[in-house]
Amino acid sequence: MKEQNTAKGVFLVAIGASSFGMLASFVKLAYAQGYTTAEVTLSQVLIGLFCVTLINMLRKKSIDEAKASSKDIRQLIIAGTSMGFTSVLYYMAVSYINASIAVVLLMQSVWIGIVLDSIATKTFPNLLKIVSVVLILTGTVLATNILASEIELDIRGIIFGFLAACSFATTLFSSGRIANHLAAPKRSMFMLCGAATIVSIFVFVTQIGPNNSEVMMSFYQQFSDNTTGIRNFDWSIFYGWGIVLALFGTVLPPIFLNMGFPLTGVGLGSIISSLELPASVTVAFFVLNEKVIFIQWMGILLILSAIVLMNSSLIFKKKNKEIME
């Protein structure tokens, strides 16, 4: 029975991670139809928030389920702002570089998370973590192919991609420590409120505000990916790509990951969730016809190896501790 539950958990986590991995390619397709980062992010977050709120209203609550205090809500909303920054920065990166490169940059959140944890706990990373970081950085050099000329990299995309990784690492770091006594759908709902706030501000600054402010006009021209000029917000995104992006980016991943992780455990679950990387690159290769050369696949393999190595050690330590007890 335990083996069946573990297999079920692996399947659920794999679906959740792969769903999120497809996101960058869908964003590229939305861009190809003329939609902007502001339209893509706002539609995804608001539709996702609506769906998660609906799930909270319809789901069966247990009698002893913990209620959210005002402190819990405030902390979750603040933590959720990093989700908003991640979406905006990641999609800005996708507008300048290949989807396969953008997801490699996003995966830098693994070693950034190690640094954040070391700062928070005031401890120096052990040798295994240092080796994992070196493997990830080496893999990144190969996966982005910055040492050769086959792949053209826009520096703006690299910067936005790295900032997205920093923001994503902050999301993972904070979400694992804030209001864990609350049900996952409830935590997701409040965090999405924070994300929606950041995205709404971004929409105003880049697509609404420029019409009325010279300062915002300058900002828009420098950082907006809308090459067709300033125009009104295209609400058709909400009944088109917005539904797809919300489904694969905001609704399905949290549901499947929250269902799968209790069955696999954090260590094994983290290893399986790294499928996000090959899933994203594979979809970009087949759907967008993005060029992915052999050396890039080797880099991706190195990054995945580092994640497996790091999490395998956690599983080994946990099993040894259980044996000792």
Side-chain angles (χ1 to χ4, degrees), residues 56 59-68 181-183 186:
N56 273 283
R59 72 185 180 86
K60 187 177 180 180
K61 301 177 179 64
S62 60
I63 299 175
D64 58 344
E65 182 176 314
K67 293 184 178 180
H181 58 283
L182 299 178
K186 189 175 292 184

Side-chain angles (χ1 to χ4, degrees), residues 250-262:
T250 314
V251 180
L252 290 182
I255 291 175
F256 283 112
L257 293 176
N258 285 322
M259 289 173 61
F261 264 82

Side-chain angles (χ1 to χ4, degrees), residues 1-10 262-264:
M1 181 63 74
K2 185 177 180 181
E3 287 76 10
Q4 289 180 341
N5 287 337
T6 302
K8 180 181 177 181
V10 168
L263 300 176
T264 61

Side-chain angles (χ1 to χ4, degrees), residues 34-106:
Y35 293 112
T36 65
T37 300
E39 292 159 353
V40 166
T41 51
L42 186 65
S43 61
Q44 177 187 323
V45 171
L46 290 187
I47 294 174
L49 178 58
F50 172 78
C51 292
V52 173
T53 302
L54 192 62
I55 290 171
N56 273 283
M57 292 172 62
L58 298 177
R59 72 185 180 86
K60 187 177 180 180
K61 301 177 179 64
S62 60
I63 299 175
D64 58 344
E65 182 176 314
K67 293 184 178 180
S69 65
S70 57
K71 180 181 178 182
D72 292 332
I73 295 174
R74 183 171 62 254
Q75 289 182 336
L76 287 170
I77 290 176
I78 293 173
T81 59
S82 62
M83 292 176 59
F85 280 117
T86 300
S87 295
V88 170
L89 293 167
Y90 184 44
Y91 293 166
M92 287 291 285
V94 170
S95 70
Y96 293 114
I97 56 179
N98 286 354
S100 54
I101 301 298
V103 73
V104 168
L105 293 173
L106 186 66

Side-chain angles (χ1 to χ4, degrees), residues 228-245:
T228 60
I230 297 172
R231 58 171 173 75
N232 293 329
F233 192 95
D234 189 347
W235 296 99
S236 67
I237 185 77
F238 276 86
Y239 49 83
W241 282 109
I243 297 174
V244 176
L245 294 171

Side-chain angles (χ1 to χ4, degrees), residues 98 101 138-154 158 291-296:
N98 286 354
I101 301 298
T138 304
T140 301
V141 171
L142 296 176
T144 54
N145 200 29
I146 59 177
L147 300 180
S149 58
E150 284 88 345
I151 305 293
E152 291 186 7
L153 298 177
D154 191 312
I158 299 297
K291 184 179 181 181
V292 184
I293 61 178
F294 177 74
I295 194 171
Q296 289 178 273

